Amino acid sequence: MTIIFYILLLFIIIAAIIAVETRYLLSAVICVGAIGFGASLMFLFLRAPDIAITQIVVEVLGLIILIRACLSRELTFISGDREFFAVVVSAVIIFAIFLAGIKVLDTLPDFGTAIFAEVPDTASQTYIGEGLEKTGAANIVASVILDFRAYDTLGEATVLFTSIIGATVILRKKSKKLLEDPE
Amino acid sequence: MKGMTIIVKTISSWVKVLIFLFGIYIILFGHLTPGGGFAGGVILASCYVLLMLAFGREYVEKNLPLPVASKLDCLGAFLFALIAVLGLVFGGTFFLNFLYQKYLPGEALELVSAGTIPLSNIAIGLKVGASLFLVILVLSMFRPDMSGKKEE
């Protein structure tokens, strides 16, 4: 199983290098998408299916928006016949990643059983067992997100703050003009 | 007359208090019952969205102007970071729950318990509520000029 992990890692690194080095914007965006999907497979491999689902959703949304933004900038037309070699290579890569995904899904515990029942010494066991006496919060979720994993929450708050600043700055230019002379 | 019909206005003016109180409850009891800063903040913001839909943007802007909302947003973020830094100052670790472990253990299942967790909940609730309100206010102010430069 670790071999698949390293192959995925190699795939992500190669995609990252291509994304930085390529001349075409669209290829760079597609490589970024490949990195994201590879990362979500790796999250599955590391037994964090919730993060993998989040990663996939964010990746799909971001990829669609980025591709849409690129298409208006740079129109690419495919002329002539499709190259046989390119089609075969992409089909093989897609099939390999599909196989890796199936393999990775096998490592997840069966439906209805908790991960920490299979793997001893996980952090979640500590959270559930000693959450109340270590933080004093009756709500275990609150004790996790605001005490054990407060860094995560700080990061989320920062993301929210930055995105609000961006939205306000981008959208305000027109509305300010509107405020000065309405209609 | 701005906004929706008189039926919507009357009902939303009754309901707004309940929604606001519920949001505050969710934030304050976040360490005891399901909920917390994020959920409560969203409920607070949705109260303002209801008012905005029923009474129009100007009514809400008079109630909570954009500069005040952005200051509340910054205040929430600052408070949350301050709690984290206070853990570093008093306990030696970033984000340490210093109130619970050193000064105010409190009793489990009481309102005053769990140290800094309720304070962080309040900070996050303030932040999330203000920022979601800001987004919706800014989006409703925004008028894309579809016609290009014809209007000028």
Side-chain angles (χ1 to χ4, degrees), chain A residues 132-147 150-158 160-165 167-172 174-175 177-179 183, chain B residues 30-35 38 57 66 73-74 77 80-81 94-95 97 100-101 107-109 113-115 117 120-121 124 127-128 131-132 134-135 138-139 141-145 152:
Chain A
L132 182 59
E133 56 187 273
K134 277 195 174 167
T135 67
N139 184 0
I140 287 184
V141 176
S143 77
V144 171
I145 65 169
L146 292 176
D147 195 303
Y151 272 110
D152 272 0
T153 315
L154 185 66
E156 273 173 36
T158 314
L160 192 63
F161 192 65
T162 319
S163 57
I164 301 310
I165 289 177
T168 327
V169 167
I170 290 172
L171 297 179
R172 220 171 175 184
K174 292 238 169 70
S175 58
K177 211 187 284 173
L178 197 80
L179 279 179
E183 309 311 317
Chain B
H31 57 301
L32 302 178
T33 53
F38 277 98
R57 199 186 73 225
L66 202 141
D73 188 11
C74 296
F80 191 49
F94 201 58
F95 264 121
N97 197 341
Y100 176 71
Q101 293 188 351
E107 196 122 334
L109 297 170
S113 67
I117 290 181
S120 318
N121 262 334
I124 290 177
K127 209 210 114 36
V128 171
S131 52
L132 282 183
L134 261 182
V135 165
V138 169
L139 278 179
M141 276 176 168
F142 178 65
R143 297 271 183 283
D145 46 348
E152 287 174 16

Side-chain angles (χ1 to χ4, degrees), chain B residues 5-116:
Chain B
T5 60
I6 187 119
I7 300 172
V8 179
K9 281 185 180 175
T10 313
I11 290 185
S12 55
S13 65
W14 290 345
V15 163
K16 70 182 178 196
V17 186
L18 295 177
I19 297 178
F20 209 82
L21 271 179
F22 184 63
I24 292 175
Y25 162 78
I26 290 275
I27 292 176
L28 284 186
F29 282 72
H31 57 301
L32 302 178
T33 53
F38 277 98
V42 174
I43 293 173
L44 290 187
S46 71
C47 177
Y48 274 102
V49 174
L50 176 74
L51 287 183
M52 191 185 294
L53 289 177
F55 290 92
R57 199 186 73 225
E58 285 75 15
Y59 179 85
V60 175
E61 265 196 323
K62 222 182 290 165
N63 207 320
L64 181 63
L66 202 141
V68 177
S70 63
K71 271 172 195 122
L72 279 179
D73 188 11
C74 296
L75 182 72
F78 177 72
L79 277 180
F80 191 49
L82 185 72
I83 288 168
V85 173
L86 280 183
L88 186 65
V89 170
F90 285 101
T93 317
F94 201 58
F95 264 121
L96 185 80
N97 197 341
F98 64 98
L99 268 182
Y100 176 71
Q101 293 188 351
K102 291 202 172 160
Y103 301 106
L104 190 79
E107 196 122 334
L109 297 170
E110 294 273 313
L111 184 58
V112 181
S113 67
T116 56

